[in-house]
Amino acid sequence: MKTRLPIVFSLAALLTAAASAQQPVPSGEFTKIQLTDQFWAEGAAYGDFNHDGKMDVVYGPYWFEGPDFKVRHTYRPDTEKSKVKTADGKEIEIPGFKGALGNENGYSDNFLTYVYDFNGDGWPDILVIGWPGKEAYWYENPKGADTPWSKHLAWDVVDNESPMLADLFGTGKPVLVCCSGGYIGYAEPDWKDPEEKWKFHPVSPKGTYQRYTHGIGIGDVNGDGRMDILEATGWWEQPKSLDGDPVWKKHEFQFGSGGAQMYVYDVNGDGKPDIITSLEAHKHGIAWFEQTNDNGVEGWTKHIIVGDKPEDNPQGVMFTQPHALWLQDMNGDGLPDLVTGKRFWAHGPTGDIDPNSPPVLYWFELKRNAGKVEWIAHLIDDKSGVGCQVMAGDLNGDGKPDVIVGNKRGAFVFLRK
């Protein structure tokens, strides 16, 4: 597999980048396919929905047939329309929600999307997480029939902007890790009756966790073989027994002020799990936190991957709005790499900071050299960005991970060459 050499900036180039917010040129490692320019969701996912042996992509109310993604199917209502103004001031109506096809801000009813066979019939279903604080529904695959999919309520109050469908207990079955009603916890299906509403299990005392809380994830932080739950203000240690829904022990630490998805991995290979996260979903910062243990005292050392100025990154990379992260071994070297980028128009063309800089999408290659850690930036694209979710996986069966994006610019597939 060919890997292009990273672009190395001179001091003059760094200063120029700081002044003009320019980004490196896309590496050419991927073939870009835009599925639609309509805004329907802030994330996309994949699965073989028609059992033809080829991966398909779901974005908003549609799924697109692989491997070329040209045939589109509607699995749930797509009646939403928005009025936007063209450059000459003319008002037109477009399908979907307000996004890049207009010049005003809008929000979709689909923040994240996951795929899993919830009823165990052998056909992948689709979980749609809507507006933060509202319901999540799963849509039942009609076993390949080209008809609307049956809708089932999963959970009625899903808080946090990065809820994660994940195997928290090593059973091979996922739960929805999220906040709800002021608690951190997880919503779990009744696998004997999956059409019933899921049950929420709090792991924390009631606190200030709410619909717009940022940052959540899972991983075995202390190496005891049990997955823990991560959030911006610390991590919650899974107890040996879950009987009676006990409160999990919290280990306090400030992992930024609220980012997006959080991951656990031994980044530097010293045998201690570390934490990878964005620091502020709507500002700057991506970092990994090195776990230390001095005389038995737990500690964390922050290492910046992308900061708030170009000189924080060896290649001069800097962007805002890191609202979605994904870990994936992108080059087959056995180490997981980081896929992330700039969320496009999180709060519209005038919201937050730097909303109209190029919507970049990167993968950062993890390298270890004599105990030193490097994250080498590969620019996938500078005209897409991320949403609240970004995902990677092998879509075309060539053994190389591809990348999927859904946001206010539409939906994109990036096939690894």
Side-chain angles (χ1 to χ4, degrees), residues 258-276:
Q261 292 82 9
M262 302 176 72
Y263 298 97
V264 175
Y265 180 70
D266 181 6
V267 173
N268 57 0
D270 67 354
K272 295 190 289 290
D274 309 305
I275 292 177
I276 304 166

Side-chain angles (χ1 to χ4, degrees), residues 130-328:
W131 186 268
K134 293 191 175 182
E135 303 89 350
Y137 294 96
W138 68 274
Y139 292 81
E140 182 179 351
N141 192 325
K143 298 182 179 178
D146 199 10
T147 60
W149 296 23
S150 297
K151 179 181 179 181
H152 305 282
L153 175 65
W155 183 242
D156 49 8
V157 183
V158 180
D159 293 334
N160 197 290
E161 292 200 18
S162 304
M164 185 177 289
L165 187 73
D167 185 2
L168 182 60
F169 303 111
T171 61
K173 294 181 180 293
V175 299
L176 182 60
V177 180
C178 60
C179 306
S180 188
Y183 299 91
I184 281 190
Y186 58 95
E188 183 176 29
D190 179 352
W191 296 108
K192 295 180 181 179
D193 193 359
E195 293 185 15
E196 288 295 309
K197 187 173 81 169
W198 300 2
K199 181 180 179 181
F200 182 76
H201 302 264
V203 307
S204 72
K206 188 166 186 177
T208 58
Y209 307 108
Q210 42 87 23
R211 62 176 61 192
Y212 303 125
T213 295
H214 285 73
I216 203 165
I218 73 166
D220 183 2
V221 178
N222 57 356
D224 64 359
R226 295 185 293 273
M227 290 289 189
D228 309 301
I229 293 180
L230 321 172
E231 45 112 342
T233 66
W235 61 279
W236 297 83
E237 181 180 348
Q238 183 180 155
K240 292 180 180 179
S241 173
L242 299 173
D243 293 343
D245 280 342
V247 172
W248 296 15
K249 178 182 177 182
K250 184 180 184 183
H251 299 254
E252 298 274 354
F253 190 81
Q254 198 69 42
F255 297 106
S257 60
Q261 292 82 9
M262 302 176 72
Y263 298 97
V264 175
Y265 180 70
D266 181 6
V267 173
N268 57 0
D270 67 354
K272 295 190 289 290
D274 309 305
I275 292 177
I276 304 166
T277 184
S278 55
L279 301 177
E280 291 187 89
H282 295 288
K283 293 185 180 179
H284 298 93
I286 302 169
W288 69 278
F289 290 82
E290 179 184 1
Q291 185 171 176
T292 60
N293 195 322
D294 296 327
N295 297 320
V297 177
E298 179 185 328
W300 300 90
T301 301
K302 180 169 69 175
H303 301 273
I304 294 294
I305 300 172
V306 177
D308 60 2
K309 48 189 180 298
E311 49 266 39
D312 291 336
N313 177 273
Q315 295 167 259
V317 172
M318 190 274 288
F319 56 86
T320 61
Q321 310 281 341
H323 211 301
L325 297 90
W326 183 267
L327 281 190
Q328 184 87 28

